[in-house]
Amino acid sequence: MCLTIIQKTKEEVVMTKEQIIEAVKNMTVLELNELVKAIEEEFGVTAAAPVVVAGGAAAGAEAAAEKTEFDVILADAGAQKIKVIKVVREITGLGLKEAKDLVDNTPKPIKEGIAKEEAEEIKAKLEEAGAKVEIK
């Protein structure tokens, strides 16, 4: 599908960025692989990850070791369960029953794969309501 687009001239095919993204979304993995190879050949580039030189290796390893995604785990609801349920509903958008089930069955993850700042904010809200929270 897209391979024929690459072979045509600019005058023959005019696609918006959104149309290209939509076309890529609808492709199979095999088609995407063929597209990448065709782009590499057409433009003389590679899709390989850049290699870090020896001087920057230490900085690269340090950056790789630093965690960028965090999970907020509700360890214990505490004595003020109703307040915690309200905060969980606010944070997750869950319904009352789902939020209550989550709070009743601790430890449970509240949010996963989020930035450190957001995780800290959520932890503060839940602790203010009386819950015990862990960030992993």
Side-chain angles (χ1 to χ4, degrees):
M1 172 165 83
C2 280
L3 294 178
T4 57
I5 293 172
I6 292 173
Q7 295 170 349
K8 294 182 179 182
T9 64
K10 285 184 184 178
E11 295 80 32
E12 292 176 4
V13 176
V14 177
M15 294 182 75
T16 65
K17 183 174 28 171
E18 291 79 20
Q19 289 172 321
I20 293 171
I21 291 171
E22 191 60 37
V24 169
K25 283 182 186 177
N26 294 324
M27 296 177 90
T28 65
V29 174
L30 185 59
E31 291 171 331
L32 286 170
N33 188 32
E34 291 172 0
L35 176 62
V36 169
K37 286 180 183 180
I39 290 172
E40 287 175 341
E41 289 173 13
E42 179 73 24
F43 298 105
V45 295
T46 63
V51 178
V52 178
V53 292
E62 185 179 311
E66 185 177 329
K67 193 172 180 181
T68 58
E69 291 186 348
F70 296 86
D71 299 339
V72 178
I73 310 294
L74 179 63
D76 184 36
Q80 300 177 351
K81 213 179 209 181
I82 293 172
K83 286 184 179 180
V84 174
I85 292 171
K86 287 180 181 179
V87 173
V88 168
R89 287 187 67 201
E90 174 190 331
I91 292 167
T92 62
L94 292 173
L96 181 60
K97 182 178 180 349
E98 292 83 7
K100 183 182 181 306
D101 289 344
L102 193 147
V103 171
D104 286 342
N105 296 308
T106 56
K108 287 283 188 180
I110 300 294
K111 276 214 167 180
E112 298 176 307
I114 59 174
K116 186 173 185 172
E117 296 80 25
E118 185 179 359
E120 292 292 337
E121 289 174 16
I122 291 171
K123 180 180 180 184
K125 285 181 183 179
L126 287 166
E127 287 179 343
E128 186 177 312
K132 291 182 182 159
V133 181
E134 298 173 4
I135 296 179
K136 292 185 180 183

